[in-house]
Amino acid sequence: MVTVSVIKADVGGFVGHSASHPDVLDTGREELERAKQRGLLTDYHVSYCGDDMFLIMTHDRGEDNEEIHRLAWDTFIKATDVAKKLKLYGAGQDLLADAFSGNIRGAGPGSAEMTIDERPSEPILVFMGDKTSAGAFNLPLYKMFADPFNTPGLVISDPLHHGFAFEIHDVKEHKKIVLNAPDDLYDMLIFLGAPSRYAVKRVFNRSTGNIAAVSSTDKLSLIAGRYVGKDDPTMIVRAQGEFPAVGEVLEPFTNPFIVEGWMRGSHQGPLMPVSLKDAHPSRFDGPSRLVCLGFQLANGKLVGPRDMFDDPGFDEARRKANEVANYFRSLGPFEPHRLPLDEMEYTTMPMVAAKLAERWQPLE
Ligand code: 13P
Ligand code: 13P
Ligand code: MG
Ligand code: MG
C-alpha cells in the first residue's frame, strides 16, 4: 500500500497574493528531501499555484499520520520564516494554529490523502487551485464520475459501468453522506450545486470499492471564524482502468465554470485551467487558476510531473475564461460578481449598518 498526501498552504505571496517566491519553494524542497533521506517519505514533489505551495508526498505511514502532518507543518513554519525575512505578503497566512497538535486538519493548511494498492500502472492527477475555494471540484467531479456526456467510459467500459459513490461533506454542520451515481443523481445534485456548503470529499468505484478521488474541503473562515485566506483547494484523482481516462478527468475544465474566491475572496468568476508558467493570477488578483500535474506512480515513486493543462487543447477554455472574466468584471460591486453578503471574506457591512442605523425609517 502507498499513501499519497498532498498538503498545501499559502505561507506568503510574491508580489501581493499573485505568486510564490522561489526561496519559499526551495525551502519546501530542502525539508522534504531531508525527510526522504531519513526514510519518512518514499518520494515527493513540491509545486505551486499562485501564492500557494503544495507538498506532494508518497509514503507508507497511512493517512492522518502524525509524523507526515508534522513534517508538513514544520515545513510551512520554516517557509514562513523565509517569507518573513523577504517581507512577502501575508507571511504565514494559512497557519492558523499556534502550534502543531497531532493533525494538520483544522490547523489551516488544506489536505487531500489517499491510500491505495498501486496498480501495475497507476496514473494520478494532482490538481492545485488558487483564488478559489473548497467545493470548487463539485462540478468537475460530477462530470468525471457521473456524466456520460463527459465520460463515455461510464457507458462503454465495464469497470466503470456500475457507477461511482460520492462522499459529500456538509462543511458547516460537520456531517457526511454517501450517495451513489447514477441511482441518487437527483438527490446528489441538490447538495453539489451548493458548493459553499457541501463539498465532495471522496469518490469510490462502486464495483471494486476502490478510492478514485479525494479533495481538500478545509474551510479557513469556518476554522478561524473570520477572513484569513481562501482555502485554495487541492485534489488527487486516479485515472484509467476502473477510473475515467486521463482525458475524461481533464475534460470538465474545458468549460470555465464559475467559482468563488476571486479578489479579496469576495467575488465569483471563471476557473481558468493553466500550465505552471501561467499559474500567477494578477488580473484583479485572478481570474481563479487551476494547475494539474500528472504522475505515474512506480513503487511509490512519483514519475513526473507532466504539466497537463500545458496543451493548446485548453487554449479555448482560457480564451473563454477571459471573456467571462470581462463580463463579470463589468458588474462591478453587484452580485453575482460580488458574493452574497454572508459569503464575502471582506465586508464593511457591520460598520456601515451601525453608522446608518438611525437613518433607517420604518415603511409606512
Ligand atoms: P484504459 O486503457 O484505462 O481502459 O483506457 C482507454 C483509454 O485511454 C481511452 O482514452
Ligand atoms: P489568497 O487566499 O490566495 O491569499 O488570496 C487573497 C485574496 O483575496 C487576493 O485578492
Ligand atoms: Mg495569499
Ligand atoms: Mg492562494
Side-chain angles (χ1 to χ4, degrees):
M1 301 294 272
V2 54
T3 301
V4 185
S5 299
V6 182
I7 305 184
K8 51 78 49 189
D10 174 350
V11 296
F14 170 62
V15 170
H17 291 283
S18 67
S20 302
H21 193 281
D23 293 357
V24 167
L25 297 170
D26 283 345
T27 305
R29 290 181 189 114
E30 283 158 22
E31 292 306 306
L32 297 199
E33 178 60 31
R34 259 198 283 278
K36 184 174 168 180
Q37 295 303 330
R38 69 171 200 270
L40 178 59
L41 296 181
T42 309
D43 206 359
Y44 70 89
H45 182 76
V46 174
S47 195
Y48 62 90
C49 185
D51 57 4
D52 290 79
M53 172 162 72
F54 294 72
L55 311 177
I56 303 167
M57 303 174 281
T58 56
H59 54 91
D60 56 13
R61 308 291 167 113
E63 291 155 47
D64 279 328
N65 178 268
E66 179 163 350
E67 272 186 278
I68 298 293
H69 284 208
R70 180 184 298 282
L71 169 66
W73 179 263
D74 291 347
T75 300
F76 292 137
I77 294 285
K78 288 222 166 73
T80 298
D81 290 342
V82 173
K84 282 183 176 155
K85 283 202 188 80
L86 298 170
K87 297 184 74 175
L88 298 182
Y89 198 71
Q93 177 183 284
D94 289 353
L95 306 183
L96 303 187
D98 298 327
F100 181 73
S101 60
N103 194 303
I104 203 105
R105 283 189 292 118
S111 62
E113 300 184 283
M114 60 161 69
T115 302
I116 60 176
D117 197 3
E118 190 181 289
R119 295 171 291 166
S121 181
E122 185 65 63
I124 63 164
L125 297 166
V126 176
F127 291 86
M128 313 185 293
D130 188 37
K131 309 298 177 264
T132 176
S133 61
F137 297 127
N138 283 7
L139 186 151
L141 283 169
Y142 172 80
K143 287 191 141 187
M144 283 171 218
F145 292 103
D147 179 2
F149 280 71
N150 179 89
T151 302
L154 295 167
V155 179
I156 63 177
S157 170
D158 187 49
L160 282 77
H161 196 69
H162 301 281
F164 288 86
F166 287 67
E167 179 186 316
I168 300 163
H169 287 198
D170 177 338
V171 297
K172 292 206 170 121
E173 296 277 324
H174 295 283
K175 294 190 295 197
K176 63 178 179 184
I177 188 169
V178 176
L179 294 174
N180 292 322
D183 321 32
D184 301 325
L185 276 192
Y186 298 165
D187 291 341
M188 200 160 94
L189 284 169
I190 192 76
F191 300 114
L192 297 196
S196 60
R197 167 112 188 226
Y198 300 97
V200 179
K201 181 66 188 176
R202 296 183 181 83
V203 179
F204 300 90
N205 180 303
R206 287 173 68 192
S207 19
T208 61
N210 288 331
I211 186 152
V214 60
S215 80
S216 60
T217 52
D218 316 80
K219 277 275 196 191
L220 289 181
S221 54
L222 295 176
I223 295 169
R226 62 186 164 82
Y227 173 73
V228 275
K230 280 194 327 308
D231 341 303
D232 294 322
T234 187
M235 170 169 78
I236 311 167
V237 182
R238 300 170 81 185
Q240 305 293 149
E242 66 180 87
F243 306 112
V246 167
E248 290 168 334
V249 173
L250 300 178
E251 184 67 4
F253 303 100
T254 55
N255 186 32
F257 50 92
I258 304 303
V259 296
E260 53 182 67
W262 198 357
M263 183 50 86
R264 298 176 183 274
S266 304
H267 293 79
Q268 320 217 47
L271 183 62
M272 184 187 274
V274 291
S275 65
L276 282 168
K277 75 173 174 16
D278 292 323
H280 38 69
S282 315
R283 191 263 163 111
F284 197 59
D285 288 1
S288 310
R289 301 295 153 104
L290 188 69
V291 170
C292 175
L293 298 183
F295 299 93
Q296 290 287 153
L297 279 188
N299 306 311
K301 298 274 185 228
L302 289 158
V303 178
R306 275 221 53 237
D307 190 350
M308 303 307 289
F309 291 134
D310 185 9
D311 173 4
F314 290 95
D315 284 352
E316 184 59 17
R318 294 185 269 266
R319 192 202 59 75
K320 190 169 169 188
N322 274 323
E323 191 180 309
V324 174
N326 286 340
Y327 172 72
F328 267 71
R329 284 299 301 122
S330 74
L331 304 179
F334 284 80
E335 297 178 9
H337 182 30
R338 202 179 75 185
L339 285 177
L341 286 177
D342 57 351
E343 297 284 338
M344 280 192 294
E345 308 283 11
Y346 274 76
T347 184
T348 47
M349 184 56 104
M351 184 267 287
V352 174
K355 185 179 71 181
L356 300 181
E358 304 285 279
R359 289 169 63 181
W360 284 93
Q361 301 294 320
L363 297 178
E364 297 309 315

